Every structure is written in C-alpha cells, then in structure tokens.
Amino acid sequence: MSKAIPETAPAVIIGGGIIGMSTLYHLAHRGVPAVLIERRKIASGTTWHAAGIVGQLRDSTAQTELGKYTARLFRDLEEETGQSTGYKQNGTINISLSDVRHEQLLRTHDHAARMGIPSHILSPQEVKEHWPALVIDDVQSGLFVPSNGQVNPLDVTIALSKGARQKGAQVFEGTKVERLEIRDGKVVGVVTDKGIIATDQVLIAGGMWSHLFGKSHGITVPLHAAEHFYVVTEPVAGLPSTQPILNIVEERNYWKEDAGKILIGGFEAQGKAWAKDGIPEDFEFDELPFDMEHVEEDLMRMFARMPSLEGLGIKTFFNGPESFTPDGRPYMGPVPDVKGAFLATGMNSNGILNSGGTGLTLAEWMIDGRPSRSMAPLLAARAHPFQANTRYNQDRAAESVGFHYGINWAGRQVHSARGVRRVPLHQQLKTAGAVMAERIGWEVPMYYDAENPEWSDSPSLRWKPWSEQVKQECLAARDAAVLLDQSMYAKILVQGPDAARALNHVCGA
Ligand SMILES: Cc1cc2nc3c(=O)[nH]c(=O)nc-3n(C[C@H](O)[C@H](O)[C@H](O)COP(=O)(O)OP(=O)(O)OC[C@H]3O[C@@H](n4cnc5c(N)ncnc54)[C@H](O)[C@@H]3O)c2cc1C
C-alpha cells in the first residue's frame, strides 16, 4: 500500500526533477526534512534525457558559483549515497573560429582564474591532439577546463533522492499538486490529488510546467518549453572515455563521448517553441518527433567539421523539451507577492550543471532568509507582470534557444516579442531616427541614425558600430544640452510622515 502524504511539512517542493531533488537534498542536510511531490516518476520531465554536461564557467559570477559547487557535489555524491552517478571529470574544450570568439576565450580564461577554476589556452594543434578527426583549418584557439565533466542526470537525481531520504526527507511520486493555498498573501498549504499538506514554505521547481502553474496563482514565471535536439553516433572504435567535451559556439554545437559513441547536440539560432496548447497530461519520459528539416543546416555543419562522421552513421536522433526564459537566465528565490513561495526554474539547458548550486542556494534562502552568495542576475523578483503573457514567452523561448550558443556580446539584441511596451513618444522618436533596443519589454532609443535605422547584429567586443553616435551624444551633454526620455523607468510613490527621512536614507547626496 502506498504511503499517505503527511498533514504538515516544514516545506513542500513541487517537482521531482534534478532541481527540486537537489533542493530537497540540501534542506535535509541542513536538518529540514521537507516533502517533495512529483506528478509522475522522478526525473521523468526534462531531466532524464539531458546530455549531462557539467561546465562551470558561465556569463555571470552568480551562475559560475552554482556550477562550481555542482562539480564539487558530484565528485562526492556517489561515495555518500552508494548510488553511481556516472560522473567523470574529462574536461571541456571551447574553440574559437574568429577574432571575437578568441578574445572571449582569453577573457573567460581570466574569469576562470578569478573564480579559482584552472584553465589553459590551447593552440589549434593541441585541440587536434584531443579531437584528431576534427578539421582545424579555421580554428584560432581552444580553452581547456580540466575540472569540467559529465554525469548521468537520471542517476544523479536518484542519488540526491537517496541522500535526502537518508536524512528524513520524503518523496511522493504519482501525486500532483493541484494548487497552493494562499491566505492574506502567505502560503499556508499545498492541495494535491491525494490530500492537503499544511506548510508555510513552497518551492515551485516544476520545470516547463511552472509558467502556467504560477500564472494560475497570480505568480509570474516567465518561461516556455522549446525543443532541443541531439544525435548519437554508432560506437566509435578507440574513442577514449576520457575524451574532453567539445563546444563550438560559432557553429552552435557540442560534442561528448557517450558510452563509446559521440553525442552531438545543437542550439539553433532560432529554436521551436513546444506545447503551445499546453503540455499533454500524460507526459512522462517522453521524447518529441525529430524535425530533420529544422536542424538540417546544423547537421551539415557537424559533418563538415568532422567528415569521418559520414562513415560512422547516426544511431539516435533525439528531441526533448526544456524550458527557456526571455533573458536566458533562470528564476530563483522568493516570489515577491506571495510570502513563503520560492522559485527555482527556467534552467535554459543548464539545469544539470546548475543543480547542485541551485539546491544549496535555495536551501539557504528558505532556512536563513538569504543566500550566502549574490544571486542578483537570477532573482525571481526580476519578473515583470507583463511577462505572465504566455504568447510573449512562447515567441521569446524560440529565440532564447539561440542565446545559449552563438556569440554573446554587449550589443546582442532580441528580435522576437518586440514592441510589447512603448513610450508615448515612440513614433516621434522613430521619426527622429531613433534606433531601438529592447529592455524588459520596452522599446528604448539607444542612439539616432536616420540613415541606418537597423540595429547592427555583427558582434564586437570593442568599439561598436554606434559608438560614434553615442560619443556625439555625450559631448552634447557636456558642452550643450540633451533631452532624455526616461518615461519607461519605474515610478515609486513614497508618502507618509517619514517619507523625507526614508528618502534621505536611501538616496545618495
Ligand atoms: C536534450 C537535452 C539535453 C540537455 N543537456 C544538458 C546538459 O548537458 N547540461 C545541463 O546542465 N543541462 C542540460 N539540459 C537541461 C536540463 O535537462 C534541464 O535544465 C533540467 O533537467 C531541468 O530540471 P528541472 O528539475 O527544472 O525540470 P524537470 O526535470 O522537468 O522536472 C520538473 C518536474 O516537475 C514535475 N511537476 C510539474 N508540475 C507538477 C505538479 N503540479 N505537481 C507535481 N509535480 C509536478 C514534472 O513532472 C517534472 O518531473 C538538457 C536538456 C535537454 C532537453
């Protein structure tokens, strides 16, 4: 007979993917025996089919901290729980095919040193020593991070579950959370299809289900599912299990050894949103049809990079859904308007490498009231009410797939879901030659150039195509006068007897 769900719990976690399970594990290790509710089987959403690459260096210190801790946790998890995790530190090699990307690798090498993660710059020849069949004519350099690696995500989730249950946590599979009980702006319980659990803390870790679940409670969780593809070759004779993972962001693909075969995955510039009419109720360990036409160009690039692939043959064509967010970053931490509700979701295909750090950080947030490291770029509180719009998330998620690879630079602009928020003078600004960029849904004039009204998409880490116009604006501000339209900024009304004292406290000068 299956165990009855408890009437009360110190905290309830919704979702038994790697993120929910890691949080359960870390709460239990801090002495909080929380309860995890999973609608089907653990890891049966997105987690089971992940490629399992664990890279640590991300584009913010906050996410790098998450990855760094995850790598440390995975090293010890198997020994602690007795459950194998398939973890190996075979390292990653990122290669550059252009000057911009080469400069980025040098900067990442520097970032790695600051974060205490050893890394080495490789010559094209050294790259070829690791991947002998690779065409390297146009390779400029490589960045090798020996402590990165790969893991079996399903086994890790089982290990985390085991480690959590050994410390008193409980896991209920085949149980669906139907809604939260919220009273006077506070969580007081969770209603499941097997009964109600009274609790004052809830973590929504429901992966791609989180958007609609949050929305039904007035909680904004901006994300939508998009398709993610990979292929796996037939067994490759002589392929060492220590083969480092290869990332070629300019060609939008990653390569890894996978039980004697090569797994190659891609992040197309424009992905495909999935389940626009909702996720099927019976979704469990499911995969999606492989769309050959959609990824053909990406596959051709892989074959050109390693012509011997032709002779190897492809054994598996895989497509699975993952949630992507409008800015490519996860949502973590307390929900501003509902006391006791937390988010850890929207992993943008980084959920395995984020998992350990996310679980640790959420456990700190839920127990101590704050995390021990800054998570500013990842805060759940950055969600704006307009981002509860499902169509907006669907349109952007398809483009967010492309944020993952390609060259990330300060002038990179989004092209989807534009024009969501416009200032009253929008048309006048356009007529005056304003070139617009998107900032949290707003169309913001960045500079004026009536002759070239289109934003330049060509990446540059130094002087930008618009730097000259910006220089002229700065000189005008110094020597003459400028008029800035900042009507898109938030307005805060501070009123009451202590208003002046409070403002003097928070405002410099
Ligand atoms: C093809 C592919 C390859 C990938 N490769 C990598 C990689 O190499 N490295 C990496 O870091 N990441 C990778 N990822 C991404 C990674 O798999 C995800 O980011 C991660 O698994 C997300 O975990 P999660 O716990 O947030 O979501 P999920 O695993 O989807 O878990 C959410 C769970 O919540 C449950 N749930 C939802 N609503 C409810 C409810 N109301 N009641 C009860 N339960 C509920 C669901 O059933 C589900 O099991 C890859 C993804 C794909 C698709």
Side-chain angles (χ1 to χ4, degrees):
M1 206 176 88
S2 62
K3 200 169 55 157
I5 59 163
E7 286 177 8
T8 62
V12 173
I13 294 171
I14 305 172
I18 198 164
I19 297 297
M21 203 55 87
S22 174
T23 310
L24 186 79
Y25 169 94
H26 285 92
L27 282 170
H29 280 67
R30 290 277 312 268
V32 178
V35 169
L36 183 145
I37 305 290
E38 165 55 47
R39 51 182 271 286
R40 295 278 166 150
K41 288 264 183 266
I42 65 169
S44 65
T46 292
T47 297
W48 71 278
H49 57 233
I53 296 170
V54 185
Q56 302 165 81
L57 293 160
R58 317 312 305 173
D59 59 4
S60 67
T61 301
Q63 262 199 91
T64 302
E65 291 277 9
L66 300 182
K68 198 175 154 189
Y69 172 75
T70 302
R72 212 167 72 213
L73 174 73
F74 286 177
R75 220 177 37 212
D76 304 331
L77 191 62
E78 187 166 324
E79 196 179 311
E80 180 201 329
T81 62
Q83 163 69 44
S84 84
T85 60
Y87 184 53
K88 57 180 181 187
Q89 285 184 306
N90 45 340
T92 54
I93 297 176
N94 283 268
I95 63 172
S96 69
L97 307 175
S98 64
D99 292 346
V100 175
R101 183 66 187 147
H102 173 64
E103 168 90 28
Q104 278 189 329
L105 292 189
L106 295 180
R107 292 183 186 191
T108 308
H109 181 46
D110 188 52
H111 174 56
R114 274 183 282 119
M115 298 298 296
I117 299 171
S119 64
H120 313 280
I121 295 290
L122 304 181
S123 67
Q125 207 46 49
E126 286 168 319
V127 171
K128 197 160 173 83
E129 279 164 26
H130 289 286
W131 280 88
L134 212 66
V135 172
I136 58 158
D137 302 351
D138 53 348
V139 174
Q140 293 206 12
S141 57
L143 178 75
F144 182 43
V145 182
S147 60
N148 284 342
Q150 63 192 62
V151 77
N152 182 344
L154 177 58
D155 290 343
V156 169
T157 312
I158 294 168
L160 290 167
S161 159
K162 207 168 159 189
R165 284 184 286 114
Q166 279 165 357
K167 300 267 179 197
Q170 297 184 72
V171 175
F172 292 88
E173 293 179 305
T175 306
K176 184 178 174 185
V177 175
E178 288 174 338
R179 61 184 170 83
L180 305 179
E181 284 257 284
I182 301 171
R183 222 171 285 146
D184 300 328
K186 288 189 208 139
V187 167
V188 293
V190 161
V191 180
T192 78
D193 56 2
K194 307 268 164 65
I196 299 175
I197 308 173
T199 185
D200 56 9
Q201 285 202 321
V202 166
L203 172 69
I204 301 173
M208 59 191 173
W209 286 265
S210 309
H211 168 70
L212 288 180
F213 184 82
K215 192 168 171 170
S216 66
H217 297 86
I219 297 172
T220 305
V221 189
L223 59 82
H224 193 81
E227 303 183 17
H228 177 42
F229 302 85
Y230 61 65
V231 296
V232 187
T233 65
E234 296 283 357
V236 182
L239 184 71
S241 66
T242 52
Q243 182 78 6
I245 295 146
L246 180 72
N247 291 304
I248 315 179
V249 302
E250 286 142 301
E251 294 183 344
R252 302 189 158 278
N253 50 47
Y254 58 87
W255 307 54
K256 61 161 269 225
E257 186 274 342
D258 194 78
K261 306 167 201 122
I262 303 177
L263 181 154
I264 313 169
F267 291 99
E268 328 83 88
Q270 182 65 26
K272 279 175 75 185
W274 178 70
K276 290 189 177 177
D277 300 324
I279 300 165
E281 188 58 31
D282 59 355
F283 188 93
E284 180 180 1
F285 293 117
D286 280 342
E287 57 183 273
L288 312 177
F290 193 87
D291 185 344
M292 187 61 87
E293 206 179 313
H294 179 67
V295 294
E296 195 175 1
E297 228 175 87
D298 299 79
L299 289 175
M300 299 310 283
R301 274 200 297 268
M302 295 172 193
F303 283 108
R305 184 56 60 193
M306 197 165 116
S308 55
L309 271 182
E310 300 255 10
L312 281 178
I314 304 293
K315 184 178 160 51
T316 308
F317 292 87
F318 186 83
N319 179 13
E322 156 71 334
S323 40
F324 288 84
T325 64
D327 58 9
R329 288 182 262 131
Y331 285 87
M332 288 173 47
V335 170
D337 296 332
V338 182
K339 198 160 184 281
F342 294 80
L343 293 185
T345 190
M347 292 292 148
N348 294 276
S349 222
N350 283 331
I352 309 306
L353 63 94
N354 280 342
S355 61
T358 300
L360 173 77
T361 306
L362 260 298
E364 289 172 348
W365 236 316
M366 294 168 83
I367 296 170
D368 306 328
R370 67 175 70 173
S372 62
R373 59 196 69 72
S374 168
M375 288 290 127
L378 315 180
L379 289 180
R382 76 181 188 282
H384 284 250
F386 85 91
Q387 293 177 309
N389 182 307
T390 303
R391 170 73 195 279
Y392 161 86
N393 285 291
Q394 288 172 354
D395 288 355
R396 180 58 58 76
E399 188 178 7
S400 297
V401 172
F403 295 169
H404 202 76
Y405 275 10
I407 292 184
N408 186 2
W409 61 294
R412 184 169 72 175
Q413 254 311 302
V414 292
H415 299 285
S416 58
R418 291 295 297 262
V420 178
R421 305 206 279 182
R422 289 181 171 170
V423 297
L425 292 179
H426 180 82
Q427 204 42 53
Q428 285 90 329
L429 294 168
K430 283 290 284 180
T431 309
V435 180
M436 302 285 184
E438 189 255 22
R439 294 284 180 272
I440 327 166
W442 287 105
E443 293 297 319
V444 179
M446 300 307 283
Y447 62 90
Y448 289 81
D449 187 345
E451 276 157 37
N452 292 304
E454 291 305 315
W455 187 266
S456 165
D457 274 330
S458 116
S460 163
L461 300 181
R462 292 161 190 256
W463 197 249
K464 307 283 186 290
W466 57 85
S467 297
E468 188 52 39
Q469 285 92 329
V470 173
K471 180 176 156 193
Q472 294 309 323
E473 289 175 15
C474 293
L475 290 174
R478 189 191 69 181
D479 301 333
V482 291
L483 180 65
L484 302 183
D485 178 4
Q486 299 201 323
S487 52
M488 72 290 290
Y489 279 25
K491 283 104 194 150
I492 301 171
L493 178 65
V494 184
Q495 60 184 12
D498 285 331
R501 200 169 60 81
L503 284 172
N504 282 335
H505 179 68
V506 296
C507 300

